[in-house]
Each structure stands twice: as C-alpha cells, then as structure tokens.
Amino acid sequence: MKSESQAVVRPARNVRGSVSLPGDKSISHRYAMLAAIADGPSRLANYSTGADCASTLGCLRSLGVKWERGGGVDNVIEVQGSGLALTAPSLPLDCGNSGSTIRMLSGILAGQKFSSEMVGDESLARRPMERVITPLTAMGARITSQNGCPPLRIIGAHLKGIHYQMPVASAQVKTCLLFAGLLAEGETRIEEPLRTRDHGEVALRAFGAQIERKGNEARILGGQRLRGIEARVPGDLSSAAFFLCAAALFPNSQLTVTSLLMNPTRARLLDILMQMGLRISVTQLEEVHGELVGTLQVEGGRLKGTTIAGSDTAALIDEIPVLAAIAPYTEQGIEVRDAKELRVKESDRIASLATNLRAMGAQVEEHEDGLKIPGGQSLHGTELESFGDHRIAMAFSIAALRAQGETLIHGSECAAISYPAFFSTLEGLVER
Ligand code: S3P
C-alpha cells in the first residue's frame, strides 16, 4: 500500500524571503530524452527533483542509456548519449504518474527497431493517449492501448514524416511528434491550434537540430544527429507560481525568485499577476541554450480579479489550479473558460478545485470547460483531499494561508511528483 501523508497548513500574515527553484519539469524531461539520443555526453545541472522527471530517467535506463547523478547539491545528471538508436527494454517501461514521459517518449520509441510497452500509475492509466497514437500511427508505428489509455504497446517502425494539424493544443503531443520527426524519413510539419510552450523546439535546437517555425507550425527534417550539451535547467516557473500566488495574498509581501525560467510561452502568469496587482520586476535576464532566465523581485499589492480564456488558458494550463485557489480572495473573482483539458490532467482539476473550494466555504460555479469563482469571499480551514494530484495539493496549501483556522490536506505527499521540497520551502517563506 502507498503511504499517505497529510500536510497541516496554518494561516500566515505575510510572505518574505528569497527562493530558487529546482529545474523546470518540462525542460528536464526534454533535455534528458534528447541527451539520451544525442552523440556524446551531456551534463544537466539543476535537473528537476520531481518524481516525474525521475520516471523519465528510469525509462531511459531501461532503454540502455547510461546516466548517473553527479555529486553535490546541484542535482547534476550526467548522461552518455546512445545516439538515435536505443536498446530494447526487457520489462515494461514504468512512466509512474508522468504524462510527459509517456507522451514524449512514445515519439522516440515509435522510431526504434523494437517493441516496447509503457505503463503507469492509476492516474496515468486514465489519461487520453489517442492524441499521440493517431499521428504516430500515421507516421508508420503500430500502437495498441487500453481504449485509448495506457498501457501503450509500441511496435517501432521506419517512420515517415507527416504534415499534422493537432486537434488539441498540447505541447506534449507537439514534442512527441517533433521527436518522432527527428527519426523519420523526410520532413515533419506540426501545426498547433494555439501556441503552446516551445521547449521541445528550443531544446532540439540546443542539441544541434534545425527546426523551422512559422506562425503556429514547426518543421523538422528527419535524420539529423544531435550532440550532447552542458546545461543548467532554469528554475521551474509552474512551481514558482505557488509562491508568487502566496505573495499575492498579502499586501506587504516581498519575495525574490532567482534563476527562474522566463520563456515567453510560459511567462503569461507574470503578466496576469501584474494585471491583478502584484508588482514584479525582472533583473539579470539572460538567454541560456535558447531559454530566457531571470530574477524576479515581487511585492504584494491589491489583488484584483481576472478572466482567463482562449489562448491564455493554454498558456496558463498548469497555473490555473493555484490561480483558482486564490480567486475567492481577489476583489472581483476569477473566471476560467476554455479549459476542458483540465478535466484530463492528473485529476479532473475542474472538479477537484470546485470540491475543495466549496469545502473551504467558497461559492463556485462549475462549468464543463471551467469555473467562475466570485471574489471578496473568506474561507475557512478544513480537511481537504489532494485527489492524488500534486498541483491540487500545493494550490490548496496556498489558499490555506489566508483561511481562518488550520487546513489539513490528505495525500499531500503527491507534491513530490513535481516538487518534493515544496512544503518545507513554503514554511521558510511565510511569516505568522
Ligand atoms: C507539458 C505540457 C502540458 C502541461 C504539462 C507539461 C509539457 O500538458 O500541462 O504539465 O511539458 O509539454 P499538455 O501537453 O497535455 O497540455
């Protein structure tokens, strides 16, 4: 049986201090996978400490890739690239809770000369995979699934490039197909309905591949070789979101976040928080391997409401849980629309958010594609479920900071999926 733990979060009166985040989860997955199929060694510092990125490393080891952890506190991973061909695994590849691992790695496995099986936990077993199965099949792979969900059995093939218009805006799918395109014959063109995070494109370039981007289309020519890199993964912006939203709850907050990922396809959160009243200034901005990194100085202020819809929803997809969790404390409330994708994340995040907000005494309107949460509400502490979803556990520990009384979050250990040190870091930043 899995051991469950509970976090108890007490109300705070302020957020103050400086924090530097473990490496971004999206970039860590991509760097590890590309380092595995590159020629030569790679050295990845500040690799994500999350269990999801460890799942990616575990799968790569089962595929014959040699990697080790460097010593010291910098969470360095040293990977010996295997070149584009990996080794057939002897057992099913365990993707754990990680949708990124199963979806992105399937693009690489589809182009190998062997069959493989990818499995995961209960939550992953419910996540939709047709979005990768359909285009990878069109490229020549044969894939079986359990009604469109994991386990996936992938029979690798000599892939052919395709021109594919993605029906769902998903950076995981786009990256999967670009990875498959790298192994395919000819050119692969992927068009996305809305702009999603571009770490796949940026990372491929960092490892030496040529990718063209025109509007919402990315193109890659198959057969390009990659070369290993030395890199430092920028701090995870989606993890920083919890502390930024905590700071937004208190007018006198002062928070510094160093070496944070500032990629424009991820940084919409900063614009939204500034529109809502948080004061944010950026210093020490630099570009490293095509990714923008900077230091943020954050000061609390008023907390106005906002509406998140359309392309903003896609750009803020991982930050919506924490924005929704602080919505009752804003002046006008927050409305989230066009967010049906949230229903097929690690949990049904629309339902998880509505359930927990209501348990804390908030009024919430739940819609098929979002939520409307009025502002000016006060919440009370209570017992909540994490629903086994890391972002739900962390989001409600932030809502708890301004509630009356203590909040107990069951199953809080799932925060380790993306951020094992989350609760201790939060405790170090709040004043009571
Ligand atoms: C991710 C893309 C998003 C996001 C996930 C990470 C990525 O998922 O929710 O946490 O690294 O590409 P989708 O591609 O399903 O939108």
Side-chain angles (χ1 to χ4, degrees):
M1 248 190 63
K2 273 190 287 177
S3 63
E4 277 224 339
S5 58
Q6 291 132 27
V8 176
V9 185
R10 288 179 294 123
R13 62 180 169 82
N14 207 4
V15 167
R16 211 165 260 262
S18 174
V19 65
S20 121
L21 279 299
D24 185 71
K25 185 158 90 72
S26 294
I27 297 178
S28 295
H29 284 298
R30 287 162 171 85
Y31 278 2
M33 290 181 200
L34 293 179
I37 57 168
D39 297 322
S42 290
R43 186 173 191 279
L44 311 175
N46 200 37
Y47 188 80
S48 165
T49 50
D52 269 6
C53 295
S55 291
T56 285
L57 289 174
C59 291
L60 293 173
R61 178 154 284 159
S62 304
L63 290 161
V65 178
K66 296 200 167 42
W67 60 263
E68 17 183 283
R69 293 188 184 276
V73 288
D74 212 16
N75 217 29
V76 172
I77 308 290
E78 284 163 356
V79 185
Q80 286 304 323
S82 298
L84 297 175
L86 299 172
T87 307
S90 51
L91 291 171
L93 300 166
D94 186 0
C95 302
N97 189 246
S98 178
S100 298
T101 307
I102 195 165
R103 294 200 180 115
M104 300 198 284
L105 198 53
S106 66
I108 294 176
L109 294 177
Q112 300 296 317
K113 290 198 172 110
F114 53 77
S115 310
S116 48
E117 189 179 0
M118 303 175 95
V119 298
D121 69 8
E122 274 168 59
S123 149
L124 194 70
R126 291 192 299 267
R127 314 262 320 257
M129 296 295 142
E130 327 81 54
R131 53 187 67 191
V132 292
I133 297 174
T134 305
L136 290 176
T137 305
M139 293 176 84
R142 275 189 293 150
I143 306 182
T144 57
S145 67
Q146 194 76 41
N147 295 323
C149 294
L152 294 185
R153 189 168 167 73
I154 301 186
I155 304 177
H158 180 81
L159 302 179
K160 295 229 160 34
I162 47 167
H163 179 183
Y164 188 65
Q165 291 186 314
M166 297 190 335
V168 189
S170 161
Q172 290 174 350
V173 176
K174 175 177 58 172
T175 302
C176 159
L177 299 178
L178 289 173
F179 288 0
L182 182 74
L183 304 174
E185 193 184 314
E187 189 182 58
T188 294
R189 291 160 62 179
I190 312 297
E191 226 176 297
E192 44 185 355
L194 290 171
R195 193 82 199 269
T196 63
R197 62 191 73 185
D198 64 359
H199 305 303
E201 297 93 302
V202 172
L204 276 160
R205 278 194 205 106
F207 280 82
Q210 282 191 359
I211 297 250
E212 271 180 61
R213 179 121 212 156
K214 259 201 208 124
N216 278 3
E217 183 179 278
R219 293 182 188 187
I220 187 165
L221 203 56
Q224 303 183 58
R225 305 290 305 189
L226 305 180
R227 54 178 148 66
I229 60 170
E230 277 212 14
R232 182 178 177 80
V233 183
D236 193 313
L237 183 59
S238 301
S239 297
F242 299 103
F243 305 135
L244 297 174
C245 286
L249 294 178
F250 306 99
N252 295 322
S253 297
Q254 281 195 338
L255 178 68
T256 303
V257 188
T258 56
S259 302
L260 188 67
L261 175 69
M262 300 279 301
N263 177 314
T265 63
R266 289 285 293 287
R268 186 78 185 113
L269 174 73
L270 305 180
D271 305 328
I272 293 277
L273 286 174
M274 287 200 284
Q275 281 164 21
M276 289 171 69
L278 203 64
R279 280 168 291 167
I280 301 181
S281 58
V282 181
T283 56
Q284 295 168 45
L285 199 62
E286 54 172 339
E287 197 182 301
V288 189
H289 286 303
E291 293 287 3
L292 272 187
V293 185
T295 289
L296 300 188
Q297 307 284 353
V298 179
E299 285 177 37
R302 284 174 64 187
L303 191 53
K304 290 184 267 180
T306 190
T307 297
I308 301 168
S311 58
D312 276 350
T313 302
L316 289 163
I317 197 73
D318 289 341
E319 291 76 56
I320 289 173
V322 66
L323 287 167
I326 63 164
Y329 305 119
T330 62
E331 289 172 11
Q332 293 84 8
I334 294 184
E335 180 163 7
V336 178
R337 299 316 291 250
D338 308 316
K340 267 212 311 255
E341 272 294 299
L342 288 180
R343 295 213 180 262
V344 290
K345 292 289 180 188
E346 287 82 330
S347 70
D348 174 342
R349 286 185 173 158
I350 294 180
S352 307
L353 285 164
T355 304
N356 281 354
L357 281 166
R358 286 185 185 129
M360 295 181 85
Q363 261 186 46
V364 182
E365 250 179 57
E366 182 178 341
H367 299 277
E368 194 40 40
D369 72 336
L371 299 150
K372 185 168 181 183
I373 307 154
Q377 308 192 59
S378 31
L379 306 188
H380 56 76
T382 185
E383 289 193 29
L384 300 175
E385 290 298 327
S386 68
F387 300 97
D389 184 332
H390 56 128
R391 297 204 200 277
I392 295 296
M394 293 188 278
F396 282 91
S397 68
I398 303 305
L401 297 176
R402 254 194 52 187
Q404 269 160 29
E406 275 183 5
T407 301
L408 191 144
I409 303 170
H410 291 283
S412 58
E413 74 286 345
C414 65
I417 287 296
S418 55
Y419 193 0
F422 170 74
F423 286 102
S424 55
T425 308
L426 179 65
E427 278 309 296
L429 292 173
V430 297
E431 292 181 343
R432 295 207 158 84

